[in-house]
Every structure is written in structure tokens, then in C-alpha cells.
Amino acid sequence: MFDNTADIIKQISLGEDSVLELKTVDFGGDKITGPHRNSMADELAAMANTHTGVVLLGVDDKSKAIYGIPQDKLDIVETWLRSICNDLVEPPLDCVIRKIPIAAENSDEKIIIRVDVPRSLFVHQSPGGYFRRIGSSKRQMKPDVLARLFQQRSQTRLIRFDEQLLANADPDVLVPSLWKRFRTVISSVNDQEFLRKIQLIAMDEDGVLRPTVSGVLMAAEHPQEFIKTAYIQAVCYRGAERNASYQLDAKEITGPLDLQVREACKFVERNMRVYAVKAPNRIETPQFSMNAVFEAVVNAVVHRDYSVYGSRIRLHLFSDRLEIFSPGTIPNTMTIDSLSERQSARNELLSTLLARCPMNVNAIGSQRSYIMDKRGEGVPIIITESEKLSGRKPEYQLIDDAELKLTIFAAKPPNEV
């Protein structure tokens, strides 16, 4: 959008519209006196709630005159903008802020600031409330409009969150070595056609190809650059208490989801105890069934709600238990009691892709050839194998209708059994 200076100048001459906002910036010394921080936050949130757009600072919206921003004030404006995006908009906005030299007719070169605001995956609230952009102005959303927008951008919409497009990413963020593993002998030989058929990319409303959420989670080298909380926070504690003073090991597990599954299982295997007795031959008893741990991690990454901003999967290992927290409530009409009996996928596309990823974990006892089986066997395996090892049934708990917690109890040392 507005790829060069000539395009920007032409668009400025036409004035504001649904995807362009023009604003001058006023100063009192080194402080910005206009526009007001709250008003600027409302404008940015309205654009993110509606459509990908551009805000140009240093241009008058009425006269279309390019006043620019003094060079010694550019960093002040950039810091001001970042503070607004991070502190006044919930969830925070990821905007691209650039300093653009521009020369209008019969004038010296001026420097303006361009803010690219991507159409968001989330619904953003700003100081004035919830806004959307209609033409060249923002409007507060009525309850029915707001409800529809939340539905469109939540797990309940017809297009699932994992199929949504990332407006701030291009298809080339998808790494060929990662997406080619989904190819079969009957797949299209045309790369773009193949990627569209398996929904790793799709066309947005402007006819531009964009990667989907699933495409980035499975085929981008660093998905966290686009979905910031799409990683596993793993921590091992010395005792049974969640206390940083007793932390033995910690790792932020990033990368494509199948890699996260593998590294999370390695983390548990590396940090758990293995007890050994001679009876008369050596018998080893691990604290946890790695088959159950594998199933638990797979369920966490594939069924978590990626639309929940600010939450990540947490894997906490204690001397007496393993806790896994997965963002989001239980999908559809399932309950805690029905988890072992029913099967439901929040992220159907992710489930399909993981079902095509070869097994990458040495989970003793597993009969899997692929990471996902889509038959609903995961929870029964977690329960039966863990209970057989520790004598205690794993516990599922829904916390504040926002997070699912699984507790797997550790096997006791042989002399305590």
C-alpha cells in the first residue's frame, strides 16, 4: 500500500479515506501537545479493528499541506507512538513506524512519519472504547456490531482462528523445507497452488496472498515474530513449590509446533528423575510416562486458543508433579468430565497438519507414526498411563474459564511406595 513517494503524495492530494489518516503534530518544547494521546490511540485501534491502513504524521488533513516533523523531534514522536500502541490499546498494537523524506511541489524536503497499521486478528479497545473506521472517520461500535466483530475474530466464527490471515506477513516467511514435508505424491507441483490447497496461505480481501495462522505456526522458522505468545514456557523447580529461588532449569521453547512438542518432551525427560532397583535385574521407573507427557504436550499446542492475547503454554515440573497450562476454555460443549470420552478440535487445520508430521519423540509405549492421530486417544492415554505409574489419576482443572490446567502426578521412589 502506497509503495513509493509518488503514490504517497498522490494519495495525500486525494485526502483521507478508509485506509488513510492524516495528522499534524504540535509541540510545546520537547512535548507533543497535539494530537492527544487518547485520540491517537482511538484512531489506531479503529483502523486495526477495520482494515489495514496507514497514518501519516506531519500532514494537515484539511489543506493537505505537508508540514513534516522537525528532524530533532522525530525520535520523540516515534517513542510517543510506541508508548500509545503498547500502553493505551488493549491488546497492544504491532505497528510499523517509519520516517519518510518527502518533497511536495514547490517546497523543500520534509520528513513525515508513516505508521502502517495491520488489520488485526484481535478486537482492540482504546481509551474511548471500541472503535471502527467508516470512511475517513472513526465511529464507536454499537453492541450488535461489536458482538459480531468478536464472533468473527474468536474461536466461534465460521472461519476458525487457525485459518485466519496474518495481514502483517508475506508468504515468503514460510520456509520451503518446512512446508514441503506436507507434500504427497498427489499434491500439486505448483508451489503456490499447493500452499493454498492445504491452507498455509490464502488471499485477503485486497487480492494479496498472506500466510494463515496455521501456516506461520507450522512452516515459519520463528512463528513468535508474528504470534508473540506462540511458545512454551518450561520451568523445572527443585521442590514442590513454585518459587524462582528453587528454579533448576528454564527454557522458552520456540519454533514450529512439531519442534516445540519435541523440545518440551526433551525438557521433561532431561529433568525428571528415574528410579532404579535390582529385583534381581535392574528395573528403571521414571517419574512420568513419556508417552503420557507427549500426548499432553500435543494436546496443549493443538487445542490451545491462539486468539487469547498475552497467554502462553506453561509447563512446570516439580518434584511431585507436572503441570501444563493451556490458554483457552474447553472447546464447544465439552466439560472436564467428558474430556476422556469425547473428541473435539478447536484448531482443525492445525490438527490436520500435525497429523501429517512424522513422530519426532521417543515416547516409550507410543504406537504413533505421526504426531497427531485425530481419534481422540490422547486423554485416555494420559490418564491410564499416568495413573498406572503413580497410582494417582491426573487432574484437569478449568481456571477462570480462561485456562485449562493438567496435573500429572509423579511416581514415588521405590522405597516410598
Side-chain angles (χ1 to χ4, degrees), residues 40-41 43-48 53-55 78 81-86 89 91-98 113-120 124 168 228 309:
M40 192 71 223
E43 295 286 1
L44 293 170
M47 198 164 276
V54 173
V55 178
E78 183 178 359
L81 281 168
R82 294 198 185 282
S83 173
I84 289 172
C85 291
N86 288 325
V89 181
L93 279 175
D94 279 329
C95 296
V96 178
I97 302 171
R98 289 184 286 171
I113 285 185
R114 169 177 174 157
V115 186
D116 287 271
V117 186
R119 178 183 180 275
S120 183
H124 295 273
N168 59 339
K228 293 188 181 301
Y309 186 88

PDB file of all heavy atoms in Angstrom, residues 40-41 43-48 53-55 78 81-86 89 91-98 113-120 124 168 228 309:
ATOM      1  N   MET A  40      -5.263   9.683  19.569  1.00  0.00           N
ATOM      2  CA  MET A  40      -4.404   8.936  18.649  1.00  0.00           C
ATOM      3  C   MET A  40      -4.592   7.428  18.843  1.00  0.00           C
ATOM      4  O   MET A  40      -4.651   6.669  17.874  1.00  0.00           O
ATOM      5  CB  MET A  40      -2.942   9.321  18.900  1.00  0.00           C
ATOM      6  CG  MET A  40      -1.986   8.825  17.830  1.00  0.00           C
ATOM      7  SD  MET A  40      -2.192   9.701  16.278  1.00  0.00           S
ATOM      8  CE  MET A  40      -2.118   8.359  15.115  1.00  0.00           C
ATOM      9  N   ALA A  41      -4.721   7.006  20.088  1.00  0.00           N
ATOM     10  CA  ALA A  41      -4.954   5.589  20.368  1.00  0.00           C
ATOM     11  C   ALA A  41      -6.271   5.124  19.762  1.00  0.00           C
ATOM     12  O   ALA A  41      -6.362   4.025  19.193  1.00  0.00           O
ATOM     13  CB  ALA A  41      -4.945   5.342  21.880  1.00  0.00           C
ATOM     14  N   GLU A  43      -7.756   6.327  17.117  1.00  0.00           N
ATOM     15  CA  GLU A  43      -7.601   6.257  15.658  1.00  0.00           C
ATOM     16  C   GLU A  43      -6.880   4.970  15.246  1.00  0.00           C
ATOM     17  O   GLU A  43      -7.295   4.281  14.304  1.00  0.00           O
ATOM     18  CB  GLU A  43      -6.813   7.468  15.142  1.00  0.00           C
ATOM     19  CG  GLU A  43      -7.497   8.805  15.318  1.00  0.00           C
ATOM     20  CD  GLU A  43      -8.658   9.035  14.357  1.00  0.00           C
ATOM     21  OE1 GLU A  43      -8.945   8.129  13.550  1.00  0.00           O
ATOM     22  OE2 GLU A  43      -9.271  10.109  14.435  1.00  0.00           O
ATOM     23  N   LEU A  44      -5.815   4.646  15.936  1.00  0.00           N
ATOM     24  CA  LEU A  44      -5.038   3.448  15.587  1.00  0.00           C
ATOM     25  C   LEU A  44      -5.854   2.181  15.825  1.00  0.00           C
ATOM     26  O   LEU A  44      -5.855   1.255  15.007  1.00  0.00           O
ATOM     27  CB  LEU A  44      -3.745   3.409  16.409  1.00  0.00           C
ATOM     28  CG  LEU A  44      -2.722   4.513  16.101  1.00  0.00           C
ATOM     29  CD1 LEU A  44      -1.612   4.510  17.145  1.00  0.00           C
ATOM     30  CD2 LEU A  44      -2.131   4.336  14.713  1.00  0.00           C
ATOM     31  N   ALA A  45      -6.553   2.117  16.961  1.00  0.00           N
ATOM     32  CA  ALA A  45      -7.365   0.937  17.268  1.00  0.00           C
ATOM     33  C   ALA A  45      -8.505   0.775  16.269  1.00  0.00           C
ATOM     34  O   ALA A  45      -8.820  -0.342  15.840  1.00  0.00           O
ATOM     35  CB  ALA A  45      -7.908   1.040  18.689  1.00  0.00           C
ATOM     36  N   ALA A  46      -9.122   1.898  15.877  1.00  0.00           N
ATOM     37  CA  ALA A  46     -10.225   1.839  14.908  1.00  0.00           C
ATOM     38  C   ALA A  46      -9.751   1.245  13.594  1.00  0.00           C
ATOM     39  O   ALA A  46     -10.454   0.430  12.969  1.00  0.00           O
ATOM     40  CB  ALA A  46     -10.799   3.236  14.689  1.00  0.00           C
ATOM     41  N   MET A  47      -8.564   1.638  13.166  1.00  0.00           N
ATOM     42  CA  MET A  47      -8.033   1.119  11.907  1.00  0.00           C
ATOM     43  C   MET A  47      -7.733  -0.373  12.021  1.00  0.00           C
ATOM     44  O   MET A  47      -8.067  -1.167  11.138  1.00  0.00           O
ATOM     45  CB  MET A  47      -6.785   1.903  11.515  1.00  0.00           C
ATOM     46  CG  MET A  47      -6.375   1.766  10.067  1.00  0.00           C
ATOM     47  SD  MET A  47      -5.192   3.067   9.569  1.00  0.00           S
ATOM     48  CE  MET A  47      -6.310   4.405   9.157  1.00  0.00           C
ATOM     49  N   ALA A  48      -7.117  -0.781  13.136  1.00  0.00           N
ATOM     50  CA  ALA A  48      -6.787  -2.194  13.331  1.00  0.00           C
ATOM     51  C   ALA A  48      -8.048  -3.051  13.409  1.00  0.00           C
ATOM     52  O   ALA A  48      -8.054  -4.208  12.987  1.00  0.00           O
ATOM     53  CB  ALA A  48      -5.953  -2.368  14.592  1.00  0.00           C
ATOM     54  N   GLY A  53      -4.355  -0.196   7.229  1.00  0.00           N
ATOM     55  CA  GLY A  53      -4.325   1.198   6.805  1.00  0.00           C
ATOM     56  C   GLY A  53      -3.021   1.884   7.155  1.00  0.00           C
ATOM     57  O   GLY A  53      -2.102   1.276   7.712  1.00  0.00           O
ATOM     58  N   VAL A  54      -2.947   3.175   6.835  1.00  0.00           N
ATOM     59  CA  VAL A  54      -1.733   3.972   7.029  1.00  0.00           C
ATOM     60  C   VAL A  54      -2.105   5.297   7.681  1.00  0.00           C
ATOM     61  O   VAL A  54      -3.082   5.944   7.289  1.00  0.00           O
ATOM     62  CB  VAL A  54      -1.022   4.235   5.683  1.00  0.00           C
ATOM     63  CG1 VAL A  54       0.151   5.200   5.877  1.00  0.00           C
ATOM     64  CG2 VAL A  54      -0.544   2.932   5.062  1.00  0.00           C
ATOM     65  N   VAL A  55      -1.317   5.696   8.675  1.00  0.00           N
ATOM     66  CA  VAL A  55      -1.439   7.023   9.285  1.00  0.00           C
ATOM     67  C   VAL A  55      -0.179   7.800   8.942  1.00  0.00           C
ATOM     68  O   VAL A  55       0.937   7.314   9.139  1.00  0.00           O
ATOM     69  CB  VAL A  55      -1.598   6.918  10.820  1.00  0.00           C
ATOM     70  CG1 VAL A  55      -1.673   8.320  11.434  1.00  0.00           C
ATOM     71  CG2 VAL A  55      -2.830   6.105  11.190  1.00  0.00           C
ATOM     72  N   GLU A  78       8.359   9.065  17.568  1.00  0.00           N
ATOM     73  CA  GLU A  78       8.376   7.599  17.490  1.00  0.00           C
ATOM     74  C   GLU A  78       8.170   6.977  18.871  1.00  0.00           C
ATOM     75  O   GLU A  78       7.395   6.021  19.027  1.00  0.00           O
ATOM     76  CB  GLU A  78       9.697   7.122  16.890  1.00  0.00           C
ATOM     77  CG  GLU A  78       9.747   5.611  16.724  1.00  0.00           C
ATOM     78  CD  GLU A  78      11.033   5.123  16.074  1.00  0.00           C
ATOM     79  OE1 GLU A  78      11.890   5.959  15.731  1.00  0.00           O
ATOM     80  OE2 GLU A  78      11.167   3.892  15.921  1.00  0.00           O
ATOM     81  N   LEU A  81       4.551   7.336  19.872  1.00  0.00           N
ATOM     82  CA  LEU A  81       3.688   6.376  19.177  1.00  0.00           C
ATOM     83  C   LEU A  81       3.795   4.976  19.784  1.00  0.00           C
ATOM     84  O   LEU A  81       2.787   4.300  19.995  1.00  0.00           O
ATOM     85  CB  LEU A  81       4.069   6.327  17.692  1.00  0.00           C
ATOM     86  CG  LEU A  81       3.558   7.460  16.813  1.00  0.00           C
ATOM     87  CD1 LEU A  81       4.251   7.427  15.452  1.00  0.00           C
ATOM     88  CD2 LEU A  81       2.040   7.371  16.629  1.00  0.00           C
ATOM     89  N   ARG A  82       5.008   4.542  20.041  1.00  0.00           N
ATOM     90  CA  ARG A  82       5.191   3.200  20.604  1.00  0.00           C
ATOM     91  C   ARG A  82       4.546   3.099  21.985  1.00  0.00           C
ATOM     92  O   ARG A  82       3.970   2.062  22.336  1.00  0.00           O
ATOM     93  CB  ARG A  82       6.670   2.857  20.669  1.00  0.00           C
ATOM     94  CG  ARG A  82       7.314   2.723  19.301  1.00  0.00           C
ATOM     95  CD  ARG A  82       8.635   1.978  19.336  1.00  0.00           C
ATOM     96  NE  ARG A  82       9.263   1.983  18.025  1.00  0.00           N
ATOM     97  CZ  ARG A  82       8.908   1.201  17.013  1.00  0.00           C
ATOM     98  NH1 ARG A  82       7.906   0.347  17.169  1.00  0.00           N
ATOM     99  NH2 ARG A  82       9.518   1.263  15.852  1.00  0.00           N
ATOM    100  N   SER A  83       4.641   4.160  22.749  1.00  0.00           N
ATOM    101  CA  SER A  83       4.003   4.170  24.065  1.00  0.00           C
ATOM    102  C   SER A  83       2.486   4.057  23.938  1.00  0.00           C
ATOM    103  O   SER A  83       1.834   3.320  24.692  1.00  0.00           O
ATOM    104  CB  SER A  83       4.377   5.464  24.803  1.00  0.00           C
ATOM    105  OG  SER A  83       3.649   5.578  26.009  1.00  0.00           O
ATOM    106  N   ILE A  84       1.905   4.752  22.969  1.00  0.00           N
ATOM    107  CA  ILE A  84       0.457   4.680  22.743  1.00  0.00           C
ATOM    108  C   ILE A  84       0.053   3.255  22.344  1.00  0.00           C
ATOM    109  O   ILE A  84      -0.906   2.687  22.875  1.00  0.00           O
ATOM    110  CB  ILE A  84       0.037   5.685  21.653  1.00  0.00           C
ATOM    111  CG1 ILE A  84       0.155   7.114  22.191  1.00  0.00           C
ATOM    112  CG2 ILE A  84      -1.390   5.415  21.168  1.00  0.00           C
ATOM    113  CD1 ILE A  84      -0.039   8.187  21.146  1.00  0.00           C
ATOM    114  N   CYS A  85       0.785   2.668  21.405  1.00  0.00           N
ATOM    115  CA  CYS A  85       0.467   1.305  20.922  1.00  0.00           C
ATOM    116  C   CYS A  85       0.558   0.281  22.039  1.00  0.00           C
ATOM    117  O   CYS A  85      -0.234  -0.665  22.095  1.00  0.00           O
ATOM    118  CB  CYS A  85       1.401   0.921  19.783  1.00  0.00           C
ATOM    119  SG  CYS A  85       1.133   1.842  18.256  1.00  0.00           S
ATOM    120  N   ASN A  86       1.516   0.449  22.934  1.00  0.00           N
ATOM    121  CA  ASN A  86       1.752  -0.548  23.989  1.00  0.00           C
ATOM    122  C   ASN A  86       0.924  -0.309  25.239  1.00  0.00           C
ATOM    123  O   ASN A  86       0.501  -1.273  25.902  1.00  0.00           O
ATOM    124  CB  ASN A  86       3.238  -0.573  24.384  1.00  0.00           C
ATOM    125  CG  ASN A  86       4.108  -1.188  23.312  1.00  0.00           C
ATOM    126  OD1 ASN A  86       3.705  -2.114  22.626  1.00  0.00           O
ATOM    127  ND2 ASN A  86       5.309  -0.668  23.153  1.00  0.00           N
ATOM    128  N   VAL A  89      -3.664   0.873  24.150  1.00  0.00           N
ATOM    129  CA  VAL A  89      -4.512  -0.013  23.346  1.00  0.00           C
ATOM    130  C   VAL A  89      -4.412  -1.425  23.912  1.00  0.00           C
ATOM    131  O   VAL A  89      -3.317  -1.924  24.187  1.00  0.00           O
ATOM    132  CB  VAL A  89      -4.088  -0.001  21.863  1.00  0.00           C
ATOM    133  CG1 VAL A  89      -5.005  -0.906  21.044  1.00  0.00           C
ATOM    134  CG2 VAL A  89      -4.113   1.411  21.310  1.00  0.00           C
ATOM    135  N   PRO A  91      -5.743  -5.484  23.257  1.00  0.00           N
ATOM    136  CA  PRO A  91      -4.331  -5.797  23.442  1.00  0.00           C
ATOM    137  C   PRO A  91      -3.448  -4.836  22.645  1.00  0.00           C
ATOM    138  O   PRO A  91      -3.928  -4.186  21.716  1.00  0.00           O
ATOM    139  CB  PRO A  91      -4.226  -7.227  22.921  1.00  0.00           C
ATOM    140  CG  PRO A  91      -5.345  -7.385  21.970  1.00  0.00           C
ATOM    141  CD  PRO A  91      -6.454  -6.536  22.487  1.00  0.00           C
ATOM    142  N   PRO A  92      -2.161  -4.748  22.995  1.00  0.00           N
ATOM    143  CA  PRO A  92      -1.271  -3.800  22.318  1.00  0.00           C
ATOM    144  C   PRO A  92      -1.222  -4.021  20.809  1.00  0.00           C
ATOM    145  O   PRO A  92      -1.440  -5.134  20.318  1.00  0.00           O
ATOM    146  CB  PRO A  92       0.091  -4.082  22.960  1.00  0.00           C
ATOM    147  CG  PRO A  92      -0.233  -4.658  24.291  1.00  0.00           C
ATOM    148  CD  PRO A  92      -1.483  -5.466  24.085  1.00  0.00           C
ATOM    149  N   LEU A  93      -0.919  -2.942  20.093  1.00  0.00           N
ATOM    150  CA  LEU A  93      -0.850  -2.987  18.629  1.00  0.00           C
ATOM    151  C   LEU A  93       0.586  -3.181  18.157  1.00  0.00           C
ATOM    152  O   LEU A  93       1.516  -2.604  18.717  1.00  0.00           O
ATOM    153  CB  LEU A  93      -1.372  -1.678  18.042  1.00  0.00           C
ATOM    154  CG  LEU A  93      -2.882  -1.496  17.920  1.00  0.00           C
ATOM    155  CD1 LEU A  93      -3.180  -0.086  17.441  1.00  0.00           C
ATOM    156  CD2 LEU A  93      -3.483  -2.508  16.979  1.00  0.00           C
ATOM    157  N   ASP A  94       0.742  -3.970  17.113  1.00  0.00           N
ATOM    158  CA  ASP A  94       2.022  -4.100  16.427  1.00  0.00           C
ATOM    159  C   ASP A  94       1.961  -3.269  15.153  1.00  0.00           C
ATOM    160  O   ASP A  94       1.369  -3.697  14.165  1.00  0.00           O
ATOM    161  CB  ASP A  94       2.306  -5.569  16.069  1.00  0.00           C
ATOM    162  CG  ASP A  94       2.857  -6.341  17.249  1.00  0.00           C
ATOM    163  OD1 ASP A  94       3.548  -5.724  18.073  1.00  0.00           O
ATOM    164  OD2 ASP A  94       2.582  -7.542  17.361  1.00  0.00           O
ATOM    165  N   CYS A  95       2.540  -2.098  15.185  1.00  0.00           N
ATOM    166  CA  CYS A  95       2.539  -1.207  14.021  1.00  0.00           C
ATOM    167  C   CYS A  95       3.968  -1.025  13.511  1.00  0.00           C
ATOM    168  O   CYS A  95       4.922  -1.097  14.280  1.00  0.00           O
ATOM    169  CB  CYS A  95       1.956   0.157  14.384  1.00  0.00           C
ATOM    170  SG  CYS A  95       0.219   0.109  14.874  1.00  0.00           S
ATOM    171  N   VAL A  96       4.089  -0.770  12.221  1.00  0.00           N
ATOM    172  CA  VAL A  96       5.387  -0.460  11.630  1.00  0.00           C
ATOM    173  C   VAL A  96       5.504   1.055  11.526  1.00  0.00           C
ATOM    174  O   VAL A  96       4.663   1.708  10.895  1.00  0.00           O
ATOM    175  CB  VAL A  96       5.539  -1.106  10.238  1.00  0.00           C
ATOM    176  CG1 VAL A  96       6.876  -0.715   9.622  1.00  0.00           C
ATOM    177  CG2 VAL A  96       5.411  -2.624  10.339  1.00  0.00           C
ATOM    178  N   ILE A  97       6.519   1.618  12.173  1.00  0.00           N
ATOM    179  CA  ILE A  97       6.707   3.065  12.206  1.00  0.00           C
ATOM    180  C   ILE A  97       7.954   3.412  11.396  1.00  0.00           C
ATOM    181  O   ILE A  97       9.041   2.910  11.685  1.00  0.00           O
ATOM    182  CB  ILE A  97       6.848   3.567  13.657  1.00  0.00           C
ATOM    183  CG1 ILE A  97       5.612   3.182  14.475  1.00  0.00           C
ATOM    184  CG2 ILE A  97       7.066   5.079  13.692  1.00  0.00           C
ATOM    185  CD1 ILE A  97       5.742   3.433  15.960  1.00  0.00           C
ATOM    186  N   ARG A  98       7.768   4.295  10.375  1.00  0.00           N
ATOM    187  CA  ARG A  98       8.892   4.651   9.504  1.00  0.00           C
ATOM    188  C   ARG A  98       8.974   6.154   9.303  1.00  0.00           C
ATOM    189  O   ARG A  98       7.956   6.849   9.278  1.00  0.00           O
ATOM    190  CB  ARG A  98       8.744   3.966   8.142  1.00  0.00           C
ATOM    191  CG  ARG A  98       8.974   2.467   8.179  1.00  0.00           C
ATOM    192  CD  ARG A  98       8.903   1.868   6.791  1.00  0.00           C
ATOM    193  NE  ARG A  98       7.538   1.792   6.312  1.00  0.00           N
ATOM    194  CZ  ARG A  98       7.203   1.461   5.069  1.00  0.00           C
ATOM    195  NH1 ARG A  98       8.157   1.207   4.175  1.00  0.00           N
ATOM    196  NH2 ARG A  98       5.940   1.381   4.708  1.00  0.00           N
ATOM    197  N   ILE A 113       6.235  10.956   9.351  1.00  0.00           N
ATOM    198  CA  ILE A 113       6.272   9.619   9.955  1.00  0.00           C
ATOM    199  C   ILE A 113       5.083   8.826   9.447  1.00  0.00           C
ATOM    200  O   ILE A 113       3.937   9.299   9.503  1.00  0.00           O
ATOM    201  CB  ILE A 113       6.289   9.689  11.487  1.00  0.00           C
ATOM    202  CG1 ILE A 113       7.680  10.128  11.957  1.00  0.00           C
ATOM    203  CG2 ILE A 113       5.914   8.346  12.107  1.00  0.00           C
ATOM    204  CD1 ILE A 113       7.881  10.117  13.451  1.00  0.00           C
ATOM    205  N   ARG A 114       5.378   7.648   8.940  1.00  0.00           N
ATOM    206  CA  ARG A 114       4.346   6.751   8.410  1.00  0.00           C
ATOM    207  C   ARG A 114       4.135   5.608   9.397  1.00  0.00           C
ATOM    208  O   ARG A 114       5.090   4.956   9.826  1.00  0.00           O
ATOM    209  CB  ARG A 114       4.775   6.211   7.052  1.00  0.00           C
ATOM    210  CG  ARG A 114       3.904   5.075   6.533  1.00  0.00           C
ATOM    211  CD  ARG A 114       4.314   4.627   5.168  1.00  0.00           C
ATOM    212  NE  ARG A 114       3.556   3.447   4.754  1.00  0.00           N
ATOM    213  CZ  ARG A 114       3.354   3.077   3.504  1.00  0.00           C
ATOM    214  NH1 ARG A 114       3.868   3.806   2.510  1.00  0.00           N
ATOM    215  NH2 ARG A 114       2.654   2.004   3.209  1.00  0.00           N
ATOM    216  N   VAL A 115       2.888   5.377   9.751  1.00  0.00           N
ATOM    217  CA  VAL A 115       2.525   4.277  10.653  1.00  0.00           C
ATOM    218  C   VAL A 115       1.648   3.295   9.877  1.00  0.00           C
ATOM    219  O   VAL A 115       0.530   3.643   9.480  1.00  0.00           O
ATOM    220  CB  VAL A 115       1.776   4.792  11.904  1.00  0.00           C
ATOM    221  CG1 VAL A 115       1.538   3.638  12.879  1.00  0.00           C
ATOM    222  CG2 VAL A 115       2.536   5.918  12.569  1.00  0.00           C
ATOM    223  N   ASP A 116       2.162   2.102   9.644  1.00  0.00           N
ATOM    224  CA  ASP A 116       1.371   1.048   8.988  1.00  0.00           C
ATOM    225  C   ASP A 116       0.655   0.237  10.051  1.00  0.00           C
ATOM    226  O   ASP A 116       1.295  -0.371  10.920  1.00  0.00           O
ATOM    227  CB  ASP A 116       2.272   0.155   8.147  1.00  0.00           C
ATOM    228  CG  ASP A 116       2.760   0.845   6.879  1.00  0.00           C
ATOM    229  OD1 ASP A 116       2.064   0.742   5.864  1.00  0.00           O
ATOM    230  OD2 ASP A 116       3.829   1.491   6.929  1.00  0.00           O
ATOM    231  N   VAL A 117      -0.674   0.223   9.975  1.00  0.00           N
ATOM    232  CA  VAL A 117      -1.498  -0.471  10.961  1.00  0.00           C
ATOM    233  C   VAL A 117      -2.138  -1.689  10.290  1.00  0.00           C
ATOM    234  O   VAL A 117      -3.022  -1.533   9.446  1.00  0.00           O
ATOM    235  CB  VAL A 117      -2.606   0.455  11.518  1.00  0.00           C
ATOM    236  CG1 VAL A 117      -3.358  -0.245  12.648  1.00  0.00           C
ATOM    237  CG2 VAL A 117      -2.014   1.774  11.997  1.00  0.00           C
ATOM    238  N   PRO A 118      -1.732  -2.907  10.635  1.00  0.00           N
ATOM    239  CA  PRO A 118      -2.328  -4.081  10.002  1.00  0.00           C
ATOM    240  C   PRO A 118      -3.716  -4.379  10.562  1.00  0.00           C
ATOM    241  O   PRO A 118      -3.993  -4.096  11.732  1.00  0.00           O
ATOM    242  CB  PRO A 118      -1.347  -5.200  10.355  1.00  0.00           C
ATOM    243  CG  PRO A 118      -0.715  -4.764  11.626  1.00  0.00           C
ATOM    244  CD  PRO A 118      -0.643  -3.262  11.560  1.00  0.00           C
ATOM    245  N   ARG A 119      -4.581  -4.896   9.715  1.00  0.00           N
ATOM    246  CA  ARG A 119      -5.879  -5.403  10.193  1.00  0.00           C
ATOM    247  C   ARG A 119      -5.573  -6.496  11.200  1.00  0.00           C
ATOM    248  O   ARG A 119      -4.865  -7.446  10.914  1.00  0.00           O
ATOM    249  CB  ARG A 119      -6.695  -5.951   9.033  1.00  0.00           C
ATOM    250  CG  ARG A 119      -8.041  -6.545   9.439  1.00  0.00           C
ATOM    251  CD  ARG A 119      -8.747  -7.119   8.222  1.00  0.00           C
ATOM    252  NE  ARG A 119     -10.033  -7.688   8.557  1.00  0.00           N
ATOM    253  CZ  ARG A 119     -10.224  -8.920   8.999  1.00  0.00           C
ATOM    254  NH1 ARG A 119      -9.190  -9.729   9.170  1.00  0.00           N
ATOM    255  NH2 ARG A 119     -11.441  -9.374   9.262  1.00  0.00           N
ATOM    256  N   SER A 120      -6.121  -6.381  12.375  1.00  0.00           N
ATOM    257  CA  SER A 120      -5.700  -7.239  13.479  1.00  0.00           C
ATOM    258  C   SER A 120      -6.476  -8.542  13.549  1.00  0.00           C
ATOM    259  O   SER A 120      -7.608  -8.648  13.072  1.00  0.00           O
ATOM    260  CB  SER A 120      -5.845  -6.485  14.804  1.00  0.00           C
ATOM    261  OG  SER A 120      -5.378  -7.264  15.871  1.00  0.00           O
ATOM    262  N   HIS A 124      -9.586  -4.610  19.402  1.00  0.00           N
ATOM    263  CA  HIS A 124      -8.807  -3.719  20.262  1.00  0.00           C
ATOM    264  C   HIS A 124      -9.679  -2.665  20.930  1.00  0.00           C
ATOM    265  O   HIS A 124     -10.544  -2.062  20.301  1.00  0.00           O
ATOM    266  CB  HIS A 124      -7.716  -3.024  19.435  1.00  0.00           C
ATOM    267  CG  HIS A 124      -6.695  -3.970  18.892  1.00  0.00           C
ATOM    268  ND1 HIS A 124      -5.571  -4.353  19.598  1.00  0.00           N
ATOM    269  CD2 HIS A 124      -6.644  -4.650  17.715  1.00  0.00           C
ATOM    270  CE1 HIS A 124      -4.863  -5.194  18.878  1.00  0.00           C
ATOM    271  NE2 HIS A 124      -5.494  -5.399  17.736  1.00  0.00           N
ATOM    272  N   ASN A 168       0.126  -8.723   8.515  1.00  0.00           N
ATOM    273  CA  ASN A 168       1.456  -8.103   8.592  1.00  0.00           C
ATOM    274  C   ASN A 168       2.565  -9.055   8.158  1.00  0.00           C
ATOM    275  O   ASN A 168       3.727  -8.865   8.501  1.00  0.00           O
ATOM    276  CB  ASN A 168       1.724  -7.622  10.024  1.00  0.00           C
ATOM    277  CG  ASN A 168       1.670  -8.754  11.044  1.00  0.00           C
ATOM    278  OD1 ASN A 168       1.070  -9.786  10.786  1.00  0.00           O
ATOM    279  ND2 ASN A 168       2.279  -8.548  12.195  1.00  0.00           N
ATOM    280  N   LYS A 228       3.095 -13.537  19.100  1.00  0.00           N
ATOM    281  CA  LYS A 228       4.158 -13.384  20.090  1.00  0.00           C
ATOM    282  C   LYS A 228       4.130 -14.416  21.213  1.00  0.00           C
ATOM    283  O   LYS A 228       5.167 -14.737  21.796  1.00  0.00           O
ATOM    284  CB  LYS A 228       4.113 -11.971  20.676  1.00  0.00           C
ATOM    285  CG  LYS A 228       4.469 -10.892  19.659  1.00  0.00           C
ATOM    286  CD  LYS A 228       4.617  -9.542  20.300  1.00  0.00           C
ATOM    287  CE  LYS A 228       4.951  -8.471  19.268  1.00  0.00           C
ATOM    288  NZ  LYS A 228       6.200  -8.748  18.546  1.00  0.00           N
ATOM    289  N   TYR A 309      -4.806 -13.230  23.793  1.00  0.00           N
ATOM    290  CA  TYR A 309      -3.586 -12.428  23.755  1.00  0.00           C
ATOM    291  C   TYR A 309      -2.903 -12.459  25.122  1.00  0.00           C
ATOM    292  O   TYR A 309      -3.542 -12.392  26.164  1.00  0.00           O
ATOM    293  CB  TYR A 309      -3.886 -10.980  23.373  1.00  0.00           C
ATOM    294  CG  TYR A 309      -2.643 -10.152  23.189  1.00  0.00           C
ATOM    295  CD1 TYR A 309      -2.011 -10.106  21.949  1.00  0.00           C
ATOM    296  CD2 TYR A 309      -2.078  -9.459  24.244  1.00  0.00           C
ATOM    297  CE1 TYR A 309      -0.854  -9.367  21.768  1.00  0.00           C
ATOM    298  CE2 TYR A 309      -0.924  -8.721  24.084  1.00  0.00           C
ATOM    299  CZ  TYR A 309      -0.310  -8.677  22.839  1.00  0.00           C
ATOM    300  OH  TYR A 309       0.835  -7.958  22.681  1.00  0.00           O
TER     301      TYR A 309
END
